[in-house]
Amino acid sequence: MFRVPCLSAVLGGVMAALVSPAALADVAVTYVSPETFRDSEFRSTRSRAAALAEFDKEFEKLAARHLPAGQDLAVEVLDIDLAGQFEPWHFELRDVRIMRDTTPPKIRLRYTLSEGGRVLRQDEVRLVDRTYLSDPRARNSDGRFSHDKRMLGDWFRKTFARPSGADPRS
């Protein structure tokens, strides 16, 4: 007797093959001593955890968008100095991050890009966006750490750009 496999079992197998961990790009982010990061956002355990969770999401989003399937990225974040700073001497604005030309976003990190256990590229970089306030995209910036995330996204695009015609998975 001939049996027709259950449709859900067939679809489940196909989906498992499509999203197999070996086929997807993977990013592993480690924050090296985040309590010592330059920015005051990282001094309190609660605000540090929330900020790092935001950056984890951003790294995952950027890796999914820019890394080819099968490549793995290991990132060690060594320091973060967020755009702007708190100015406690302005009593009414002491909890507001003030953006000035002298307080650009800065991130120092070390990364290793690999595929199948073979290292493709590795480096330690210092990202700084001194023109973050004059960037036209800044006018439409909303959300937490938008200047810092944009700088990170620009670095991802420049460093891990896909050849033209590649699947952007965005």
Side-chain angles (χ1 to χ4, degrees):
M1 179 172 169
F2 180 73
R3 292 184 161 207
V4 177
C6 175
L7 182 59
S8 64
V10 171
L11 288 176
V14 170
M15 290 303 292
L18 290 175
V19 293
S20 125
L24 297 176
D26 187 32
V27 63
V29 181
T30 306
Y31 300 93
V32 179
S33 302
E35 66 281 355
T36 65
F37 285 2
R38 180 178 300 238
D39 199 274
S40 62
E41 189 81 28
F42 300 98
R43 296 203 184 112
S44 134
T45 304
R46 185 175 172 197
S47 65
R48 178 174 55 245
L52 296 181
E54 289 262 343
F55 279 97
D56 283 340
K57 288 179 195 171
E58 190 66 15
F59 275 108
E60 288 173 15
K61 181 180 90 176
L62 292 169
R65 183 177 294 154
H66 297 289
L67 293 179
Q71 289 189 352
D72 299 317
L73 179 65
V75 178
E76 291 178 280
V77 179
L78 306 171
D79 192 21
I80 299 176
D81 189 1
L82 299 167
Q85 68 182 24
F86 296 109
E87 295 180 351
W89 54 89
H90 290 119
F91 186 73
E92 303 82 32
L93 301 175
R94 69 173 179 229
D95 295 329
V96 175
R97 189 172 283 276
I98 307 298
M99 305 294 168
R100 300 190 188 280
D101 288 336
T102 57
T103 59
K106 300 174 191 169
I107 299 176
R108 188 167 63 95
L109 57 85
R110 190 173 326 154
Y111 73 92
T112 302
L113 179 68
S114 60
E115 185 171 25
R118 185 175 58 105
V119 173
L120 302 176
R121 185 183 316 163
Q122 64 186 148
D123 199 3
E124 183 172 320
V125 295
R126 294 175 193 266
L127 310 176
V128 180
D129 184 0
R130 298 195 188 282
T131 61
Y132 78 109
L133 291 176
S134 61
D135 186 327
R137 297 173 296 173
R139 291 184 190 99
N140 300 325
S141 294
D142 61 347
R144 197 163 182 223
F145 312 134
S146 59
H147 299 290
D148 312 273
K149 291 175 182 178
R150 189 175 50 255
M151 178 181 68
L152 199 55
D154 289 346
W155 173 73
F156 248 87
R157 276 185 292 285
K158 290 174 189 170
T159 307
F160 306 112
R162 295 171 194 260
S164 61
D167 175 20
R169 284 192 293 164
S170 46

